[in-house]
Amino acid sequence: MNKLEDTDLREALRRNYAETPQLPEGFMEKMHEAVKQEESQPRHTRSYRLAATITSIAAAILIAFLLWPESHEAPITQPVVTETIEQNTPQSTSSEPIVEEKKEAPQKPSEPSQKFHPANKPHKAPQEPLLAQAEPATEAPARNYSEETTSNSSNPYLIVTAQLQDLRSRGERLDREVAMMMHN
Amino acid sequence: MQTEKQIVEAVSSGKREGQDEMVRRYASQVFAMIVKQVTDEMDAQELTQDTFLKAFRNIDRYDARLSSLGTWLCRIAYHLTLDFLKRRRPVIVSLEDSSVWQTDISDEELEAELSTDNEQRIERLQELVQQLSDEERMLLTLYYFDDHPLTEIAFITGIGEKALANRLYRIRKKLYKKLKAL
């Protein structure tokens, strides 16, 4: 591109900046002070930021990973509760899936559910064995949960499964208590 | 006398002599560029310091193939100054006038209009330049006062050469339009 002269414009600018101040003499000393200040500040602020960023991302991933199985618990727990309610009526036919599910779990909580599996027993009859087994049923999952957490603390699936069983047993116990109150 | 390469190597190694030499050689140029835009001298000094501190921190990013060391420092100073001006005062909208774009005028005609040697027009231009936005005024200053070639201004501002030429043309056209309105 041709260089434009624009002499008036150049002259206007020259006049505007005619009295431009010069750099003061003590600038070098000020520069030394500024450099010293800069060097005295912790240089690892950047690494701190990087570490903080990595830590927060890792924490977010971990939380998401731990929470993710819990999002699948809701659909599992609901059918369990409805199935346990159905078991108290003579028409409990859906207990088999519960039994099968509990068979998959490696621990004791499966046993109590097997005992109230048959639909033919009257309402009152299963209450005693259920009551008798209520405590161990509620205790066992807790123990198993702790055993699982201590022995397989690294396996989130087992942890979640134990929590699920604990919730189921609590639901069953609540249901039994409600049934007792209603019949009493 | 140290070459630019030697200065850069010394600064890169963290040697105080290299830093001092860089400041000694380029501080006046950087300060002059900044103080034209920033009216307060203390602010201009601080910005000059910030320019060199930033240069010391990022010396490894300097590429001698792309520009000279002085131009690279001007680039840092340019952006720091623009940021400072934006923070300090409200954004000054440039002299936008839609009718400006309707005027078809060539560079030669513009040059003729802006080179009349008329005292009154020069004074009017002085005022109009102050009414430009910070960026526009800096571009004009870099080209018409500091006499930087377009390639250097393109590197300093980060604007492409073609776009830069276009901008300079538009700024001049605005000034012409305002002058015509007198």
Side-chain angles (χ1 to χ4, degrees):
Chain A
M1 184 176 172
N2 293 332
K3 190 167 174 66
L4 298 166
E5 291 302 326
D6 293 339
T7 50
D8 284 357
L9 184 52
R10 285 179 184 274
E11 180 61 21
L13 289 169
R14 191 194 66 77
R15 293 184 189 185
N16 275 352
Y17 303 134
E19 296 177 0
T20 303
Q22 300 295 315
L23 188 65
E25 287 189 8
F27 180 77
M28 188 62 84
E29 284 72 32
K30 288 185 184 176
M31 202 59 229
H32 288 157
E33 284 176 22
V35 168
K36 274 183 193 171
Q37 271 189 4
E38 175 102 344
E39 285 171 355
S40 65
Q41 283 177 3
R43 284 193 178 182
H44 47 269
T45 50
R46 280 190 191 172
S47 61
Y48 276 164
R49 281 185 203 164
L50 183 62
T53 306
I54 293 171
T55 306
S56 59
I57 291 170
I61 292 170
L62 183 65
I63 289 168
F65 183 67
L66 289 174
L67 287 176
W68 176 72
E70 290 183 47
S71 65
H72 293 276
E73 285 181 14
I76 295 171
T77 52
Q78 288 172 2
V80 168
V81 172
T82 54
E83 284 169 359
T84 53
I85 291 172
E86 289 172 1
Q87 284 171 5
N88 290 327
T89 63
Q91 296 174 356
S92 59
T93 56
S94 58
S95 58
E96 289 180 359
I98 299 172
V99 173
E100 288 176 358
E101 284 176 10
K102 295 207 171 177
K103 279 181 181 174
E104 290 173 1
Q107 303 298 333
K108 293 179 185 177
S110 59
E111 294 171 8
S113 62
Q114 287 177 358
K115 294 213 172 175
F116 55 83
H117 158 64
N120 297 328
K121 288 186 181 177
H123 287 293
K124 291 186 181 177
Q127 289 175 5
E128 292 178 357
L130 289 175
L131 283 174
Q133 293 165 3
E135 290 174 6
T138 55
E139 286 175 1
R143 270 187 238 138
N144 293 331
Y145 174 67
S146 62
E147 285 174 3
E148 284 179 358
T149 52
T150 52
S151 64
N152 298 308
S153 58
S154 62
N155 190 339
Y157 175 74
L158 291 178
I159 295 169
V160 167
T161 307
Q163 288 177 340
L164 183 60
Q165 289 169 1
D166 183 41
L167 281 171
R168 281 181 190 164
S169 61
R170 288 182 191 179
E172 289 163 10
R173 182 184 175 188
L174 180 65
D175 189 58
R176 286 193 296 273
E177 289 174 1
V178 167
M180 275 174 60
M181 286 169 60
M182 285 172 63
H183 287 99
N184 291 336
Chain B
M1 190 169 175
Q2 288 184 326
T3 62
E4 279 191 6
K5 189 180 175 185
Q6 288 170 331
I7 293 173
V8 169
E9 283 173 2
V11 171
S12 189
S13 309
K15 291 182 183 172
R16 184 56 61 87
E17 303 81 48
Q19 294 175 353
D20 288 352
E21 181 61 26
M22 188 189 278
V23 171
R24 216 173 287 124
R25 201 179 279 200
Y26 298 106
S28 299
Q29 177 187 351
V30 171
F31 179 78
M33 177 184 166
I34 294 172
V35 80
K36 287 188 198 76
Q37 313 301 329
V38 178
T39 49
D40 188 51
E41 261 191 68
M42 293 306 295
D43 289 336
Q45 281 188 45
E46 276 195 34
L47 284 170
T48 308
Q49 276 180 19
D50 292 342
T51 299
F52 282 100
L53 289 174
K54 195 167 182 182
F56 296 157
R57 279 198 302 269
N58 298 287
I59 194 67
D60 295 331
R61 293 167 72 174
Y62 168 66
D63 188 349
R65 295 170 297 180
L66 297 178
S67 71
S68 65
L69 189 54
T71 304
W72 185 66
L73 288 167
C74 284
R75 177 179 176 148
I76 298 172
Y78 171 84
H79 290 286
L80 283 176
T81 306
L82 261 188
D83 291 341
F84 172 82
L85 291 170
K86 279 178 191 169
R87 281 195 311 268
R88 193 187 62 173
R89 56 185 172 192
V91 174
I92 296 174
V93 179
S94 62
L95 301 172
E96 281 295 335
D97 185 353
S98 59
S99 60
V100 168
W101 314 120
Q102 296 170 9
T103 306
D104 201 8
I105 185 168
S106 66
D107 272 340
E108 290 74 23
E109 286 171 337
L110 269 180
E111 186 171 343
E113 284 295 333
L114 297 174
S115 302
T116 61
D117 239 355
N118 183 318
E119 185 65 25
Q120 198 177 13
R121 297 191 80 179
I122 292 173
E123 287 175 2
R124 183 67 181 133
L125 274 173
Q126 281 183 266
E127 293 170 18
L128 289 175
V129 163
Q130 294 303 322
Q131 293 175 26
L132 292 172
S133 69
D134 296 324
E135 192 179 358
E136 288 172 337
R137 192 174 55 253
M138 286 182 81
L139 288 178
L140 276 190
T141 306
L142 286 169
Y143 187 75
Y144 287 106
F145 185 82
D146 295 330
D147 273 326
H148 286 287
L150 273 181
T151 48
E152 272 191 29
I153 300 176
F155 177 81
I156 289 170
T157 59
I159 302 169
E161 266 190 68
K162 205 171 180 182
L164 187 61
N166 200 21
R167 276 210 204 173
L168 283 170
Y169 171 74
R170 282 156 61 175
I171 295 168
R172 290 163 67 240
K173 203 168 175 181
K174 272 187 233 176
L175 292 173
Y176 160 75
K177 191 73 182 169
K178 289 293 177 183
L179 277 176
K180 275 285 194 187
L182 287 176

